[in-house]
Amino acid sequence: MAPESRALTTKVTSGSPYQLDQPQTLKASTALLNHIKSELDRREAASTVKSLIKTAHNSDEHDASDAEPIWLVLTTKKHIVDKARLKPGKIPLPHPLNTSPTTTICLITCDPQRQVKDTIAHPSFPTDLSSRITKVIGISKLKARYQPYESKRQLLNEHAIFLADARVITMLPKILGKIFYKSNKKPVPVSLEPYRQTNGEGKRVMPKPATEKSKTIAPPPQVAKEIEKALRCALVHLSPSNNVAVRVGLSSFTAQQVAENVEAVVTGLVEKFVPKGWRNVRGVHIKGPNTMALPIWLADELWLDREDVLEDGEAEKMKSIAGKAGKKRKGRELDQEADEDIGKRLKMEGSEEVKVERKNKRKIEDADMGKEIKERREKLREQKRADREEIHGKRKAAAVM
């Protein structure tokens, strides 16, 4: 008896099918968290070294600092962008990942950095946020001080979160290198410029161009607001491919928190980043660092437009054309390999027949070239003779007149 087939995902029973099914998302989140926690328990039980720092509060739960990230993987039918974007996008999360008051923040700014330091030290700046910002460094000092690989690694280990002024975010990949951009501590862009003022008609007024001595920095309340806003967002790094991965939670979250973050990120991706919206989405999955991807939404159609689907006759024609092109290419490669093999063999043998054949071939080529040169000379002589006769005839006619 054939096994009963079951659908991997469920769609909403009412409304448009192009939306997430909340029970399906919650079910996948619960299953993923249970699997991650069971794997952590198994590893701890197998380990010979036990953690000696455990309180009654966290005796039944894993420490948040050791929590594993949960990723949302969205796959599209066509590429999202044509080229990689150095400036990541941001999507607000209902349950942020960076809310711990003990995490340290490094803020990378444009030059000069003194204005930003004074802004953070201002009395109107929130103290709970300023205490977390342990380092402020300008882009020029970052280039000068952190060129060696060891210094970059030390900077990466000293801070949990890296924020960067949106005006210099595109310069950081070249300065910080792969040690930063292959980790989970990629710099988060934050706007430190003041809001543009509006005139009486409600239109924004262009600010005066900033100079090296007077960089425009927003007032302390606005800077604090932008930093808190950046900390509550998920980063979206786009590349020329048909999938994008976004960190949406931690293993210390509840299943409901993960499901709500997943729904918020999927909505933001489809509305802001994916061209043609849900029609271009092929699948949505969630996964841990070392787990399989659990599907929460799969498209019924694997193409974006009807024009992308070929009829049976067109498909066979394209296959035949591709087959012929492959045969021609393969034939050329075989001929080239045969010529190379013959050349190697003759070179190794050093046959006298080959030498004689080459000599005869050279004689024939020289004879053909000599014949061609002789014919050209004859043509030139005939042309000169015709020109002289023409000139002589003209002179004779002029003398008679």
Side-chain angles (χ1 to χ4, degrees), residues 23 36 38 50 54 71 75 86 97 110 134 149 152 174 185 191 202 252 268 290 296-297 341 359 362 368 384:
I36 292 176
S38 64
K50 303 294 181 181
K54 276 200 173 185
W71 296 88
T75 308
L86 297 178
L97 281 65
C110 58
T134 56
Y149 179 84
K152 293 178 183 178
K174 187 176 181 180
K185 297 182 182 180
S191 177
S252 58
N290 302 309
I296 58 177
W297 190 91
D341 293 339
K359 188 175 181 181
R362 197 179 298 114
D368 293 340
K384 288 180 180 180

Side-chain angles (χ1 to χ4, degrees), residues 366-378:
D366 294 342
D368 293 340
M369 188 177 294
K371 185 177 180 182
E372 185 178 354
I373 293 173
K374 186 176 180 181
E375 291 177 355
R376 289 182 180 178
R377 286 178 180 174
E378 290 294 333

Side-chain angles (χ1 to χ4, degrees), residues 27-99:
K27 180 181 177 182
S29 302
T30 304
L32 181 61
L33 289 175
N34 291 338
H35 176 73
I36 292 176
K37 290 177 181 178
S38 64
E39 283 295 313
L40 288 175
D41 293 337
R42 184 185 62 80
R43 275 182 280 177
E44 287 183 0
S47 177
T48 57
V49 180
K50 303 294 181 181
S51 176
L52 300 179
I53 307 175
K54 276 200 173 185
T55 62
H57 177 71
N58 62 1
S59 59
D60 295 332
E61 298 180 359
H62 298 283
D63 189 5
S65 61
D66 298 331
E68 295 188 355
I70 296 174
W71 296 88
L72 169 78
V73 181
L74 185 140
T75 308
T76 57
K77 300 170 186 176
K78 290 188 176 181
H79 282 194
I80 302 175
V81 292
D82 295 331
K83 60 180 181 178
R85 296 183 182 178
L86 297 178
K87 184 176 180 180
K90 294 185 292 185
I91 298 177
L93 292 175
H95 305 285
L97 281 65
N98 303 315
T99 57

Side-chain angles (χ1 to χ4, degrees), residues 11-265:
K11 299 292 180 65
V12 291
T13 56
S14 62
S16 173
Y18 296 108
Q19 57 179 316
L20 292 181
D21 184 21
Q22 294 182 358
Q24 172 73 20
T25 306
L26 183 60
K27 180 181 177 182
S29 302
T30 304
L32 181 61
L33 289 175
N34 291 338
H35 176 73
I36 292 176
K37 290 177 181 178
S38 64
E39 283 295 313
L40 288 175
D41 293 337
R42 184 185 62 80
R43 275 182 280 177
E44 287 183 0
S47 177
T48 57
V49 180
K50 303 294 181 181
S51 176
L52 300 179
I53 307 175
K54 276 200 173 185
T55 62
H57 177 71
N58 62 1
S59 59
D60 295 332
E61 298 180 359
H62 298 283
D63 189 5
S65 61
D66 298 331
E68 295 188 355
I70 296 174
W71 296 88
L72 169 78
V73 181
L74 185 140
T75 308
T76 57
K77 300 170 186 176
K78 290 188 176 181
H79 282 194
I80 302 175
V81 292
D82 295 331
K83 60 180 181 178
R85 296 183 182 178
L86 297 178
K87 184 176 180 180
K90 294 185 292 185
I91 298 177
L93 292 175
H95 305 285
L97 281 65
N98 303 315
T99 57
S100 176
T102 59
T103 54
T104 59
I105 300 174
C106 175
L107 179 59
I108 303 171
T109 69
C110 58
D111 296 324
Q113 65 182 20
R114 174 48 54 186
Q115 293 187 10
V116 181
K117 289 184 176 180
D118 295 340
T119 301
I120 295 174
H122 196 271
S124 61
F125 197 90
T127 56
D128 58 340
L129 184 59
S130 62
S131 61
R132 297 175 62 188
I133 303 175
T134 56
K135 189 177 187 65
V136 177
I137 184 169
I139 190 70
S140 60
K141 289 188 177 180
L142 183 68
K143 285 182 183 178
R145 294 181 182 178
Y146 296 96
Q147 288 185 357
Y149 179 84
E150 290 296 330
S151 60
K152 293 178 183 178
R153 188 172 66 176
Q154 183 180 0
L155 178 66
L156 180 68
N157 295 331
E158 287 177 352
H159 305 280
I161 303 171
F162 289 86
L163 302 178
D165 193 336
R167 291 171 286 188
V168 299
I169 192 69
T170 57
M171 303 166 60
L172 295 182
K174 187 176 181 180
I175 298 173
L176 297 178
K178 63 181 180 181
I179 187 173
F180 269 81
Y181 282 84
K182 283 189 176 181
S183 67
N184 291 330
K185 297 182 182 180
K186 299 181 183 69
V188 181
V190 58
S191 177
L192 300 181
E193 290 183 288
Y195 297 140
R196 292 184 181 180
Q197 303 295 328
T198 57
N199 54 17
E201 299 177 357
K203 297 181 179 180
R204 291 183 178 181
V205 180
M206 292 296 294
K208 294 181 181 180
T211 61
E212 186 65 28
K213 294 183 179 181
S214 63
K215 286 288 185 180
T216 54
I217 301 297
Q222 180 186 335
V223 173
K225 181 181 177 181
E226 291 295 325
I227 291 177
E228 291 176 352
K229 180 181 176 182
L231 293 175
R232 297 182 64 88
C233 289
L235 292 186
V236 181
H237 295 273
L238 298 178
S239 61
S241 64
N242 64 338
N243 66 77
V244 57
V246 182
R247 196 159 58 124
V248 294
L250 300 171
S251 60
S252 58
F253 283 14
T254 64
Q256 186 65 34
Q257 290 175 332
V258 174
E260 292 176 1
N261 280 0
V262 167
E263 292 177 3
V265 170

